[in-house]
Amino acid sequence: MTTDLKKTPLYQTYIDQGAKVIDFSGWALPVQFSSIKEEHNAVRSKVGIFDVSHMGEIIVSGEEADQFIQYALTNDSSTLTDSKAQYTMLCNDKGGVIDDLVVYKLEESVYFLVVNAGNTDIDFEWLQNIQGFNVNIENKSSDYGQLAIQGPEARDLVQKLVNIDVTEMKMFEFQQNVSLFGKEVILSQSGYTGEDGFEVYCKSGDTKEIWDGFIKEGVEPCGLGARDTLRLEAALPLHGQDLSEQITPYEAGVGFAVKPLIEADFIGKSVLKEQKENGATRKSIGIEMIDKGIPRTDYEILDIDGHEIGYVTSGTQSPSTGKSIAMGLINKESFELDKEILIQVRKRQVKAKIVKKSSFKS
């Protein structure tokens, strides 16, 4: 392991627990503690915990913060409250996704943006370069730790440990100043696994004590490997693969994170409005292999006659079903549910079919 990688407050904990640590977007992070399959199944059946402290946190504040956030991001931030967060996108002028993120309104004119680790510096610079607004933009990533507690038993467990009622918390609802293991945290009903669960934002120095508290409760520590298989079974996009500056939200199948066609201007509006009204030329699809083979990122997708129609954006073998599944981006005119297609797996053309992404877990 090279010494120049960034480390979360739990780096030594990974080492002490015998985790396999890899370079992920410049961070030293655990790919697994026990095995990907064990960790995956723990989250699907019970509860697991992930260290996601590598994620970036950017705070936007100031008298024109409301207008700035509405202009900079694709979703309608006017619906936010100090207890309701939102999944949204940072897009370029062509509608391509610079990053997908979650935005929290902490108080009037103060917004907390949680961005992907590898994009933190890019996002921060992009936001700073937006002109015409009286705002203060701060990269506070080093101040925060972030943990995700995920699985069907997560809610009951968290309820036992906090000083608020979480039984009715819905997706993207959050509470500030929550007491957890004696530490003050932001508790958000969110995650990246397709399961019930919560994300905890804490002071960086409190991360280990909170992690250790959950481990003592019998929660399974989980790494990046299970995080990826879980999110893919739930058909949740990964930036850099299913989303990028060359892929728009509508092409990626996450157009719900784009504002309705309102008067407010926002970056990328002209392209995204046109795609909303007339449809995008490419479409994100679910793929299930018929023949043996695992579809990997950037493998070509061909029609049954061997003509290229797109490419795989993410693929894996599902630990839940044993099936090989993927998401891909194809020409819109080539889409037809249950249609047989071919995946170029190295030198072989392997049969697959187009499926609903919602079928991945069953």
Side-chain angles (χ1 to χ4, degrees), residues 134-312:
N134 184 9
V135 292
N136 187 37
I137 303 168
E138 302 169 278
N139 184 351
K140 292 289 195 177
S141 302
S142 60
D143 292 352
Y144 289 91
Q146 184 185 347
L147 302 174
I149 300 89
Q150 302 283 294
E153 296 180 4
R155 191 175 294 258
D156 287 344
L157 174 63
V158 169
Q159 181 62 81
K160 187 174 75 170
L161 300 171
V162 297
N163 62 333
I164 63 167
D165 183 5
V166 303
T167 56
E168 300 300 323
M169 279 183 74
K170 296 181 175 60
M171 192 66 171
F172 289 122
E173 291 184 349
F174 72 99
Q175 292 292 325
Q176 302 179 62
N177 307 314
V178 175
S179 178
L180 175 63
F181 298 114
K183 306 299 182 182
E184 189 176 286
V185 305
I186 297 171
L187 185 69
S188 172
Q189 207 281 292
S190 51
Y192 194 49
T193 63
E195 293 293 337
D196 194 16
F198 296 84
E199 291 179 304
V200 173
Y201 301 93
C202 61
K203 291 179 182 176
S204 180
D206 293 340
T207 313
K208 186 178 187 307
E209 193 168 335
I210 296 172
W211 172 277
D212 289 346
F214 277 111
I215 297 300
K216 285 175 185 174
E217 292 287 336
V219 179
E220 181 87 12
C222 301
L224 293 170
R227 185 169 164 85
D228 193 55
T229 55
L230 288 159
R231 71 92 192 168
L232 187 45
E233 282 186 354
L236 298 171
L238 175 65
H239 192 273
Q241 292 180 195
D242 311 292
L243 292 165
S244 75
E245 291 198 47
Q246 288 72 49
I247 302 173
T248 72
Y250 287 113
E251 290 175 329
V254 287
F256 62 85
V258 179
K259 297 177 181 69
L261 299 179
I262 59 175
E263 291 300 315
D265 192 21
F266 60 95
I267 299 173
K269 179 178 179 178
S270 60
V271 174
L272 296 176
K273 181 179 179 182
E274 195 277 330
Q275 289 189 353
K276 169 71 173 176
E277 292 173 338
N278 301 313
T281 58
R282 298 187 296 178
K283 182 177 179 63
S284 176
I285 60 167
I287 299 167
E288 181 183 312
M289 300 302 292
I290 297 172
D291 294 335
K292 285 187 177 180
I294 299 177
R296 301 294 188 189
T297 302
D298 293 332
Y299 283 6
E300 290 179 2
I301 301 174
L302 314 169
D303 65 20
I304 206 67
D305 296 319
H307 302 117
E308 184 179 351
I309 58 172
Y311 65 97
V312 174

